[in-house]
Amino acid sequence: MKNISKILSILTLVLLITSCKNDKSLQSYLVETSTKEGFMTGDLPVSSVITAKADVSNDVKETIKSIKKINVVYLPKTAENEAQYLSEKTTLQNIFKDNKEYKNLMSMKAKEMNVKIYYSGDTDSIDEVIAFGFSDQKGVGVARLLGENMNPAKIIETIKGMDFNENSPSLKQFSKMFKKN
């Protein structure tokens, strides 16, 4: 009986040690930054930002419906927060480097920003698309598009068939984040 008790204790300890990873996830990062000073955060409902053009196929309309929301976290760069900017940039780089769930889709430079696009899920059924960007002049941020069974080919077709509602209060607030003061 003592041996069974010892074995169960050891198994419990092993389970606890292996289940408690110190790896930071993107989800935990998004939650933590929502309360940090200096960050701009928000959830954008897709319906307030994107609508289908009238003459698009039902596939495009269904693809738009498969996109649920967009999470955004952004730290504008200032002269006072240089150390915080570098720390947050490194934290996000490590999240994407260390987490095998995120697959690199592409990297590019756009308007002084280094941007990397990642996705999670299968190539024919994506669960999320993540844009991570940083600039020594503008700041660091991440946007996560969440959906269900998003098809990459259909998303590309959908992008061609979308109207971005520039008058949307959500989109106006979001775009203000990236304007230089």
Side-chain angles (χ1 to χ4, degrees), residues 116-152:
K116 294 188 177 202
I117 308 294
Y118 298 91
Y119 71 94
S120 71
D122 299 322
T123 54
D124 61 340
S125 178
I126 293 176
D127 297 320
E128 60 184 331
V129 176
I130 302 108
F132 160 54
F134 61 91
S135 164
D136 290 340
Q137 292 78 34
K138 295 183 179 186
V140 61
V142 65
R144 180 174 70 165
L145 186 127
L146 295 169
E148 291 179 10
N149 300 319
M150 296 181 290
N151 181 308

mmCIF file of all heavy atoms in Angstrom, residues 116-152:
data_model
loop_
_atom_site.group_PDB
_atom_site.id
_atom_site.type_symbol
_atom_site.label_atom_id
_atom_site.label_comp_id
_atom_site.label_asym_id
_atom_site.label_seq_id
_atom_site.Cartn_x
_atom_site.Cartn_y
_atom_site.Cartn_z
ATOM 1 N N LYS A 116 5.351 40.529 -39.401
ATOM 2 C CA LYS A 116 5.371 39.084 -39.606
ATOM 3 C C LYS A 116 3.950 38.573 -39.442
ATOM 4 O O LYS A 116 3.257 38.959 -38.505
ATOM 5 C CB LYS A 116 6.299 38.392 -38.618
ATOM 6 C CG LYS A 116 7.752 38.764 -38.840
ATOM 7 C CD LYS A 116 8.667 37.945 -37.994
ATOM 8 C CE LYS A 116 10.102 38.335 -38.334
ATOM 9 N NZ LYS A 116 11.043 37.341 -37.990
ATOM 10 N N ILE A 117 3.546 37.729 -40.361
ATOM 11 C CA ILE A 117 2.208 37.150 -40.322
ATOM 12 C C ILE A 117 2.344 35.673 -39.967
ATOM 13 O O ILE A 117 3.108 34.940 -40.596
ATOM 14 C CB ILE A 117 1.483 37.288 -41.675
ATOM 15 C CG1 ILE A 117 1.511 38.733 -42.182
ATOM 16 C CG2 ILE A 117 0.064 36.750 -41.590
ATOM 17 C CD1 ILE A 117 0.747 39.723 -41.373
ATOM 18 N N TYR A 118 1.608 35.258 -38.954
ATOM 19 C CA TYR A 118 1.606 33.872 -38.489
ATOM 20 C C TYR A 118 0.179 33.336 -38.566
ATOM 21 O O TYR A 118 -0.782 34.101 -38.624
ATOM 22 C CB TYR A 118 2.066 33.774 -37.034
ATOM 23 C CG TYR A 118 3.474 34.238 -36.798
ATOM 24 C CD1 TYR A 118 3.746 35.565 -36.457
ATOM 25 C CD2 TYR A 118 4.552 33.364 -36.896
ATOM 26 C CE1 TYR A 118 5.049 35.993 -36.227
ATOM 27 C CE2 TYR A 118 5.849 33.796 -36.674
ATOM 28 C CZ TYR A 118 6.083 35.108 -36.337
ATOM 29 O OH TYR A 118 7.371 35.532 -36.108
ATOM 30 N N TYR A 119 0.056 32.021 -38.517
ATOM 31 C CA TYR A 119 -1.262 31.403 -38.424
ATOM 32 C C TYR A 119 -1.166 30.176 -37.540
ATOM 33 O O TYR A 119 -0.086 29.627 -37.321
ATOM 34 C CB TYR A 119 -1.819 31.042 -39.806
ATOM 35 C CG TYR A 119 -1.133 29.879 -40.478
ATOM 36 C CD1 TYR A 119 -1.633 28.587 -40.363
ATOM 37 C CD2 TYR A 119 0.021 30.069 -41.249
ATOM 38 C CE1 TYR A 119 -0.995 27.528 -40.980
ATOM 39 C CE2 TYR A 119 0.648 29.007 -41.870
ATOM 40 C CZ TYR A 119 0.137 27.735 -41.726
ATOM 41 O OH TYR A 119 0.762 26.677 -42.338
ATOM 42 N N SER A 120 -2.312 29.765 -37.020
ATOM 43 C CA SER A 120 -2.376 28.503 -36.284
ATOM 44 C C SER A 120 -3.514 27.677 -36.866
ATOM 45 O O SER A 120 -4.460 28.216 -37.422
ATOM 46 C CB SER A 120 -2.583 28.734 -34.787
ATOM 47 O OG SER A 120 -3.885 29.195 -34.529
ATOM 48 N N GLY A 121 -3.383 26.395 -36.738
ATOM 49 C CA GLY A 121 -4.360 25.478 -37.309
ATOM 50 C C GLY A 121 -3.755 24.776 -38.512
ATOM 51 O O GLY A 121 -2.565 24.889 -38.787
ATOM 52 N N ASP A 122 -4.580 24.058 -39.235
ATOM 53 C CA ASP A 122 -4.140 23.365 -40.445
ATOM 54 C C ASP A 122 -4.184 24.331 -41.618
ATOM 55 O O ASP A 122 -4.944 25.289 -41.608
ATOM 56 C CB ASP A 122 -5.047 22.162 -40.730
ATOM 57 C CG ASP A 122 -5.010 21.141 -39.604
ATOM 58 O OD1 ASP A 122 -3.917 20.942 -39.041
ATOM 59 O OD2 ASP A 122 -6.061 20.561 -39.302
ATOM 60 N N THR A 123 -3.405 24.038 -42.650
ATOM 61 C CA THR A 123 -3.353 24.950 -43.788
ATOM 62 C C THR A 123 -4.688 25.078 -44.511
ATOM 63 O O THR A 123 -4.945 26.081 -45.158
ATOM 64 C CB THR A 123 -2.270 24.517 -44.803
ATOM 65 O OG1 THR A 123 -2.499 23.163 -45.162
ATOM 66 C CG2 THR A 123 -0.887 24.686 -44.232
ATOM 67 N N ASP A 124 -5.553 24.094 -44.386
ATOM 68 C CA ASP A 124 -6.869 24.196 -45.032
ATOM 69 C C ASP A 124 -7.975 24.588 -44.058
ATOM 70 O O ASP A 124 -9.123 24.735 -44.436
ATOM 71 C CB ASP A 124 -7.227 22.893 -45.736
ATOM 72 C CG ASP A 124 -7.317 21.716 -44.790
ATOM 73 O OD1 ASP A 124 -6.755 21.788 -43.687
ATOM 74 O OD2 ASP A 124 -7.940 20.708 -45.151
ATOM 75 N N SER A 125 -7.613 24.781 -42.791
ATOM 76 C CA SER A 125 -8.596 25.141 -41.775
ATOM 77 C C SER A 125 -7.916 25.955 -40.671
ATOM 78 O O SER A 125 -7.591 25.444 -39.613
ATOM 79 C CB SER A 125 -9.227 23.877 -41.196
ATOM 80 O OG SER A 125 -10.135 24.208 -40.185
ATOM 81 N N ILE A 126 -7.711 27.237 -40.934
ATOM 82 C CA ILE A 126 -6.974 28.110 -40.014
ATOM 83 C C ILE A 126 -7.897 28.569 -38.879
ATOM 84 O O ILE A 126 -9.052 28.925 -39.110
ATOM 85 C CB ILE A 126 -6.411 29.324 -40.781
ATOM 86 C CG1 ILE A 126 -5.349 28.850 -41.768
ATOM 87 C CG2 ILE A 126 -5.852 30.362 -39.839
ATOM 88 C CD1 ILE A 126 -4.794 29.951 -42.647
ATOM 89 N N ASP A 127 -7.367 28.577 -37.657
ATOM 90 C CA ASP A 127 -8.120 29.034 -36.496
ATOM 91 C C ASP A 127 -7.852 30.503 -36.185
ATOM 92 O O ASP A 127 -8.720 31.199 -35.680
ATOM 93 C CB ASP A 127 -7.757 28.201 -35.259
ATOM 94 C CG ASP A 127 -8.131 26.739 -35.450
ATOM 95 O OD1 ASP A 127 -9.206 26.470 -36.025
ATOM 96 O OD2 ASP A 127 -7.341 25.882 -35.037
ATOM 97 N N GLU A 128 -6.618 30.945 -36.442
ATOM 98 C CA GLU A 128 -6.288 32.345 -36.191
ATOM 99 C C GLU A 128 -5.155 32.798 -37.101
ATOM 100 O O GLU A 128 -4.325 32.004 -37.519
ATOM 101 C CB GLU A 128 -5.914 32.585 -34.726
ATOM 102 C CG GLU A 128 -4.738 31.808 -34.219
ATOM 103 C CD GLU A 128 -4.473 32.013 -32.721
ATOM 104 O OE1 GLU A 128 -4.784 33.075 -32.171
ATOM 105 O OE2 GLU A 128 -3.946 31.079 -32.108
ATOM 106 N N VAL A 129 -5.193 34.081 -37.430
ATOM 107 C CA VAL A 129 -4.137 34.722 -38.198
ATOM 108 C C VAL A 129 -3.610 35.851 -37.319
ATOM 109 O O VAL A 129 -4.394 36.625 -36.751
ATOM 110 C CB VAL A 129 -4.657 35.286 -39.538
ATOM 111 C CG1 VAL A 129 -3.560 36.031 -40.277
ATOM 112 C CG2 VAL A 129 -5.228 34.175 -40.406
ATOM 113 N N ILE A 130 -2.290 35.944 -37.188
ATOM 114 C CA ILE A 130 -1.682 36.926 -36.298
ATOM 115 C C ILE A 130 -0.729 37.804 -37.086
ATOM 116 O O ILE A 130 0.105 37.296 -37.831
ATOM 117 C CB ILE A 130 -0.904 36.240 -35.151
ATOM 118 C CG1 ILE A 130 -1.831 35.328 -34.346
ATOM 119 C CG2 ILE A 130 -0.267 37.272 -34.242
ATOM 120 C CD1 ILE A 130 -1.595 33.894 -34.563
ATOM 121 N N ALA A 131 -0.868 39.103 -36.910
ATOM 122 C CA ALA A 131 0.075 40.063 -37.497
ATOM 123 C C ALA A 131 0.851 40.681 -36.340
ATOM 124 O O ALA A 131 0.266 41.279 -35.440
ATOM 125 C CB ALA A 131 -0.657 41.137 -38.280
ATOM 126 N N PHE A 132 2.165 40.504 -36.348
ATOM 127 C CA PHE A 132 3.046 41.061 -35.327
ATOM 128 C C PHE A 132 3.919 42.093 -36.010
ATOM 129 O O PHE A 132 4.572 41.803 -37.008
ATOM 130 C CB PHE A 132 3.892 39.942 -34.704
ATOM 131 C CG PHE A 132 5.132 40.407 -33.995
ATOM 132 C CD1 PHE A 132 5.073 41.366 -33.000
ATOM 133 C CD2 PHE A 132 6.370 39.881 -34.327
ATOM 134 C CE1 PHE A 132 6.226 41.797 -32.339
ATOM 135 C CE2 PHE A 132 7.522 40.289 -33.686
ATOM 136 C CZ PHE A 132 7.450 41.251 -32.687
ATOM 137 N N GLY A 133 3.899 43.311 -35.491
ATOM 138 C CA GLY A 133 4.688 44.358 -36.118
ATOM 139 C C GLY A 133 5.431 45.201 -35.099
ATOM 140 O O GLY A 133 4.999 45.342 -33.956
ATOM 141 N N PHE A 134 6.565 45.747 -35.545
ATOM 142 C CA PHE A 134 7.323 46.643 -34.683
ATOM 143 C C PHE A 134 8.100 47.640 -35.519
ATOM 144 O O PHE A 134 8.449 47.371 -36.662
ATOM 145 C CB PHE A 134 8.257 45.870 -33.739
ATOM 146 C CG PHE A 134 9.296 45.044 -34.447
ATOM 147 C CD1 PHE A 134 10.540 45.571 -34.744
ATOM 148 C CD2 PHE A 134 9.023 43.743 -34.819
ATOM 149 C CE1 PHE A 134 11.493 44.807 -35.397
ATOM 150 C CE2 PHE A 134 9.972 42.968 -35.475
ATOM 151 C CZ PHE A 134 11.216 43.503 -35.762
ATOM 152 N N SER A 135 8.329 48.791 -34.924
ATOM 153 C CA SER A 135 9.090 49.849 -35.563
ATOM 154 C C SER A 135 9.744 50.675 -34.471
ATOM 155 O O SER A 135 9.080 51.052 -33.494
ATOM 156 C CB SER A 135 8.162 50.743 -36.392
ATOM 157 O OG SER A 135 8.792 51.960 -36.720
ATOM 158 N N ASP A 136 11.022 50.972 -34.629
ATOM 159 C CA ASP A 136 11.719 51.788 -33.633
ATOM 160 C C ASP A 136 11.151 53.203 -33.563
ATOM 161 O O ASP A 136 11.384 53.911 -32.594
ATOM 162 C CB ASP A 136 13.217 51.829 -33.934
ATOM 163 C CG ASP A 136 13.892 50.492 -33.682
ATOM 164 O OD1 ASP A 136 13.327 49.670 -32.942
ATOM 165 O OD2 ASP A 136 14.990 50.268 -34.233
ATOM 166 N N GLN A 137 10.402 53.607 -34.585
ATOM 167 C CA GLN A 137 9.786 54.928 -34.569
ATOM 168 C C GLN A 137 8.350 54.895 -34.053
ATOM 169 O O GLN A 137 7.914 55.821 -33.370
ATOM 170 C CB GLN A 137 9.773 55.546 -35.982
ATOM 171 C CG GLN A 137 11.121 55.914 -36.524
ATOM 172 C CD GLN A 137 11.907 54.704 -37.032
ATOM 173 O OE1 GLN A 137 11.339 53.758 -37.548
ATOM 174 N NE2 GLN A 137 13.214 54.732 -36.843
ATOM 175 N N LYS A 138 7.589 53.843 -34.377
ATOM 176 C CA LYS A 138 6.154 53.818 -34.081
ATOM 177 C C LYS A 138 5.763 52.987 -32.877
ATOM 178 O O LYS A 138 4.812 53.297 -32.194
ATOM 179 C CB LYS A 138 5.383 53.336 -35.300
ATOM 180 C CG LYS A 138 5.499 54.296 -36.459
ATOM 181 C CD LYS A 138 4.667 53.848 -37.623
ATOM 182 C CE LYS A 138 4.803 54.849 -38.755
ATOM 183 N NZ LYS A 138 3.921 54.575 -39.857
ATOM 184 N N GLY A 139 6.429 51.863 -32.632
ATOM 185 C CA GLY A 139 6.072 51.020 -31.502
ATOM 186 C C GLY A 139 5.986 49.561 -31.871
ATOM 187 O O GLY A 139 6.512 49.129 -32.893
ATOM 188 N N VAL A 140 5.292 48.804 -31.038
ATOM 189 C CA VAL A 140 5.168 47.361 -31.214
ATOM 190 C C VAL A 140 3.724 46.955 -30.958
ATOM 191 O O VAL A 140 3.055 47.515 -30.087
ATOM 192 C CB VAL A 140 6.139 46.592 -30.276
ATOM 193 C CG1 VAL A 140 5.849 46.865 -28.806
ATOM 194 C CG2 VAL A 140 6.125 45.105 -30.556
ATOM 195 N N GLY A 141 3.259 45.993 -31.742
ATOM 196 C CA GLY A 141 1.891 45.547 -31.540
ATOM 197 C C GLY A 141 1.614 44.218 -32.195
ATOM 198 O O GLY A 141 2.420 43.686 -32.968
ATOM 199 N N VAL A 142 0.452 43.700 -31.871
ATOM 200 C CA VAL A 142 0.011 42.431 -32.434
ATOM 201 C C VAL A 142 -1.503 42.512 -32.641
ATOM 202 O O VAL A 142 -2.219 43.090 -31.829
ATOM 203 C CB VAL A 142 0.419 41.236 -31.525
ATOM 204 C CG1 VAL A 142 -0.268 41.280 -30.187
ATOM 205 C CG2 VAL A 142 0.181 39.918 -32.205
ATOM 206 N N ALA A 143 -1.945 41.974 -33.774
ATOM 207 C CA ALA A 143 -3.371 41.864 -34.065
ATOM 208 C C ALA A 143 -3.659 40.401 -34.356
ATOM 209 O O ALA A 143 -2.931 39.756 -35.109
ATOM 210 C CB ALA A 143 -3.747 42.734 -35.263
ATOM 211 N N ARG A 144 -4.704 39.899 -33.737
ATOM 212 C CA ARG A 144 -5.057 38.480 -33.902
ATOM 213 C C ARG A 144 -6.478 38.383 -34.438
ATOM 214 O O ARG A 144 -7.414 38.880 -33.836
ATOM 215 C CB ARG A 144 -4.946 37.762 -32.561
ATOM 216 C CG ARG A 144 -5.299 36.288 -32.644
ATOM 217 C CD ARG A 144 -5.051 35.590 -31.350
ATOM 218 N NE ARG A 144 -6.018 36.027 -30.350
ATOM 219 C CZ ARG A 144 -6.238 35.398 -29.211
ATOM 220 N NH1 ARG A 144 -5.544 34.332 -28.897
ATOM 221 N NH2 ARG A 144 -7.124 35.853 -28.351
ATOM 222 N N LEU A 145 -6.604 37.757 -35.586
ATOM 223 C CA LEU A 145 -7.895 37.538 -36.212
ATOM 224 C C LEU A 145 -8.337 36.133 -35.855
ATOM 225 O O LEU A 145 -7.640 35.162 -36.187
ATOM 226 C CB LEU A 145 -7.742 37.688 -37.727
ATOM 227 C CG LEU A 145 -9.011 37.624 -38.534
ATOM 228 C CD1 LEU A 145 -9.070 38.864 -39.420
ATOM 229 C CD2 LEU A 145 -9.003 36.391 -39.401
ATOM 230 N N LEU A 146 -9.452 36.007 -35.153
ATOM 231 C CA LEU A 146 -9.957 34.705 -34.709
ATOM 232 C C LEU A 146 -11.139 34.275 -35.553
ATOM 233 O O LEU A 146 -11.987 35.101 -35.911
ATOM 234 C CB LEU A 146 -10.406 34.781 -33.245
ATOM 235 C CG LEU A 146 -9.320 35.054 -32.228
ATOM 236 C CD1 LEU A 146 -9.923 35.359 -30.878
ATOM 237 C CD2 LEU A 146 -8.387 33.877 -32.129
ATOM 238 N N GLY A 147 -11.188 33.004 -35.853
ATOM 239 C CA GLY A 147 -12.298 32.474 -36.623
ATOM 240 C C GLY A 147 -12.416 30.980 -36.429
ATOM 241 O O GLY A 147 -11.756 30.398 -35.574
ATOM 242 N N GLU A 148 -13.247 30.393 -37.245
ATOM 243 C CA GLU A 148 -13.433 28.944 -37.204
ATOM 244 C C GLU A 148 -13.269 28.394 -38.604
ATOM 245 O O GLU A 148 -13.961 28.816 -39.528
ATOM 246 C CB GLU A 148 -14.829 28.597 -36.679
ATOM 247 C CG GLU A 148 -15.019 28.908 -35.224
ATOM 248 C CD GLU A 148 -16.430 28.561 -34.753
ATOM 249 O OE1 GLU A 148 -17.182 27.926 -35.499
ATOM 250 O OE2 GLU A 148 -16.761 28.951 -33.635
ATOM 251 N N ASN A 149 -12.355 27.477 -38.755
ATOM 252 C CA ASN A 149 -12.147 26.784 -40.029
ATOM 253 C C ASN A 149 -12.004 27.738 -41.207
ATOM 254 O O ASN A 149 -12.625 27.562 -42.250
ATOM 255 C CB ASN A 149 -13.285 25.786 -40.288
ATOM 256 C CG ASN A 149 -13.369 24.748 -39.200
ATOM 257 O OD1 ASN A 149 -12.361 24.249 -38.718
ATOM 258 N ND2 ASN A 149 -14.578 24.430 -38.785
ATOM 259 N N MET A 150 -11.184 28.759 -41.016
ATOM 260 C CA MET A 150 -10.963 29.709 -42.100
ATOM 261 C C MET A 150 -10.087 29.048 -43.162
ATOM 262 O O MET A 150 -9.084 28.432 -42.844
ATOM 263 C CB MET A 150 -10.287 30.974 -41.561
ATOM 264 C CG MET A 150 -11.138 31.739 -40.563
ATOM 265 S SD MET A 150 -10.352 33.255 -39.958
ATOM 266 C CE MET A 150 -9.031 32.609 -38.933
ATOM 267 N N ASN A 151 -10.466 29.174 -44.395
ATOM 268 C CA ASN A 151 -9.730 28.589 -45.505
ATOM 269 C C ASN A 151 -8.856 29.673 -46.131
ATOM 270 O O ASN A 151 -9.373 30.699 -46.569
ATOM 271 C CB ASN A 151 -10.723 28.033 -46.533
ATOM 272 C CG ASN A 151 -10.038 27.378 -47.702
ATOM 273 O OD1 ASN A 151 -9.171 27.959 -48.339
ATOM 274 N ND2 ASN A 151 -10.461 26.157 -47.997
ATOM 275 N N PRO A 152 -7.522 29.476 -46.174
ATOM 276 C CA PRO A 152 -6.630 30.517 -46.685
ATOM 277 C C PRO A 152 -6.963 30.971 -48.102
ATOM 278 O O PRO A 152 -6.951 32.162 -48.396
ATOM 279 C CB PRO A 152 -5.244 29.870 -46.643
ATOM 280 C CG PRO A 152 -5.374 28.694 -45.770
ATOM 281 C CD PRO A 152 -6.807 28.294 -45.742
#
